[in-house]
Amino acid sequence: MADRERWGFELPLLLFAGFRSLIDQLHAELADHGHPELRPVHGFAMQAVGRDGVTASELGRRLGVSKQAAGKTVDRLAALGYAERVSDPADARRKLVRLTPRGQDALVLSGAVFEELRGRWADRLGQERLTELEDALETVVGPAAFGLDAAGWFGD
Amino acid sequence: MADRERWGFELPLLLFAGFRSLIDQLHAELADHGHPELRPVHGFAMQAVGRDGVTASELGRRLGVSKQAAGKTVDRLAALGYAERVSDPADARRKLVRLTPRGQDALVLSGAVFEELRGRWADRLGQERLTELEDALETVVGPAAFGLDAAGWFGD
DNA sequence: CTAGAATGGTCAACGTGGTTGTCGAAAAAA
DNA sequence: TTTTTTCGACAACCACGTTGACCATTCTAG
């Protein structure tokens, strides 16, 4: 919306503002639908757990944090009723982390909200410009974009 | 780079990956130029302090955190040699936080690195598509993009 | 088969950055 | 002048990350 020259420092600010606006709206929506306690970090963790469950060590690898940190996140998720630990009969060392129905619900709901939010961006920009934006971003960040390793990047 | 239909959840991931890639490269560069201790949160805080200095309370307002949290950040910045507190002769309650020369250096360096990084994106995308991306983001996030309130969003 | 290495989970201590609540001193407003 | 507001600090606490250590179990070589 400006043909003025842009500063380099605006780019990260714009990206962050976009990201944050989506995440903030997601969590406002989640809070309105029975999940007020969920934080962004929990969403990432649940996404990494997935439908099949995962061990705490593997979760740590997927999220790019130590297994201890992953274990703590699972503790919180479990305390909030979103995940549970199940012993693995095939390997007495492992404890599978699985999403509870509540956790699955939150994940499904998040997916729906993200679709809705993308729709709003499409209304604002037009499908064309939105796709352009996504493609441009994918060009510069590459497939790394879909790694969930957001270590330490999330808070309230 | 894909004419397939995109999922809503990809958008925040792409934005975050872009943001993070810039910030990570910035701090790698800063570390290589004598500022290995700086964290993203410090950059935001120093930006908010600016050339004129600011009180801890005002800093908190600018960053969207409590004055206590802002005070702690100033403590950390001061311990690292990037900021200092100066008593305000005109108001005995206030203590002006100011950047030290080291702090100013880091800020100037950051600005230069961001220009360089934007240049790399321009090489990849072309000036046209980069400007399109910036404009599209500004359209959806509005002027709010340039608020520095990133409460709790930063870590390592 | 058994000894050693690798893996998984947990405990402890700690660092950083956030929150509230409280408080006294100083300034501003009534 | 009295009351209210503001500023900076202290304390207690929470969330989320880190290392290091440890034990139990499983895998892998010899």
Side-chain angles (χ1 to χ4, degrees):
Chain A
M1 248 64 230
D3 44 5
R4 69 184 167 83
E5 194 48 44
R6 285 202 186 263
W7 294 98
F9 73 84
E10 296 182 61
L11 192 47
L13 254 19
L14 285 164
L15 292 165
F16 179 69
F19 170 72
R20 182 166 181 184
S21 120
L22 291 173
I23 296 295
D24 284 355
Q25 288 177 80
L26 165 67
H27 283 276
E29 211 60 40
L30 286 175
D32 275 358
H33 289 79
H35 303 288
E37 310 270 29
L38 277 183
R39 298 282 164 256
V41 63
H42 301 142
F44 269 59
M46 287 195 290
Q47 190 71 47
V49 170
R51 292 191 88 75
D52 298 333
V54 77
T55 65
S57 291
E58 173 59 22
L59 180 60
R61 267 174 244 127
R62 291 188 190 175
L63 296 174
V65 301
S66 66
K67 61 180 182 176
Q68 294 93 329
K72 283 192 195 182
T73 299
V74 172
D75 288 344
R76 274 160 231 131
L77 241 26
L80 294 172
Y82 290 94
E84 59 185 355
R85 285 190 171 92
V86 193
S87 290
D88 183 344
D91 184 338
R93 290 172 307 179
R94 310 174 83 217
K95 288 186 186 164
L96 253 256
V97 179
R98 279 192 322 208
L99 294 183
T100 61
R102 181 172 175 73
Q104 308 239 9
D105 176 62
L107 221 43
V108 169
L109 184 52
S110 295
V113 173
F114 277 134
E115 294 301 331
E116 159 73 18
L117 292 175
R118 184 177 186 277
R120 283 191 225 164
W121 281 38
D123 290 344
R124 282 263 199 125
L125 296 173
Q127 192 62 245
E128 179 86 17
R129 286 177 78 199
L130 177 56
T131 302
E132 254 297 316
L133 187 155
E134 290 169 329
D135 290 351
L137 281 173
E138 189 170 21
T139 300
V140 284
V141 300
F146 301 107
L148 263 7
D149 61 318
W153 282 96
F154 293 100
D156 256 26
Chain B
M1 249 64 224
D3 45 4
R4 68 184 169 83
E5 193 49 41
R6 285 201 187 263
W7 294 98
F9 74 84
E10 296 182 59
L11 191 48
L13 253 20
L14 286 165
L15 293 166
F16 179 68
F19 170 73
R20 182 168 179 182
S21 119
L22 291 173
I23 296 295
D24 284 355
Q25 288 177 81
L26 165 67
H27 283 277
E29 211 60 40
L30 287 175
D32 275 358
H33 289 78
H35 301 288
E37 310 271 30
L38 277 183
R39 299 281 163 254
V41 63
H42 301 142
F44 270 60
M46 288 195 289
Q47 190 71 48
V49 170
R51 293 190 90 72
D52 299 332
V54 77
T55 65
S57 292
E58 173 59 23
L59 180 60
R61 265 173 247 127
R62 290 188 191 175
L63 295 174
V65 302
S66 65
K67 59 181 182 174
Q68 294 92 331
K72 281 193 195 182
T73 299
V74 172
D75 288 344
R76 183 106 192 92
L77 241 27
L80 293 172
Y82 291 93
E84 58 186 355
R85 286 190 171 90
V86 193
S87 290
D88 182 344
D91 185 337
R93 291 171 307 178
R94 292 158 49 100
K95 288 189 185 160
L96 253 256
V97 178
R98 279 193 320 207
L99 295 183
T100 61
R102 181 172 175 73
Q104 308 239 8
D105 176 62
L107 220 43
V108 168
L109 185 52
S110 295
V113 173
F114 278 134
E115 294 301 331
E116 159 74 17
L117 293 175
R118 185 177 185 275
R120 282 190 223 164
W121 281 38
D123 291 345
R124 282 265 199 123
L125 297 174
Q127 192 62 244
E128 179 86 16
R129 287 177 76 200
L130 177 56
T131 301
E132 254 298 315
L133 186 156
E134 290 169 330
D135 290 350
L137 281 173
E138 189 170 21
T139 300
V140 284
V141 301
F146 302 107
L148 263 6
D149 61 317
W153 282 96
F154 293 101
D156 258 24

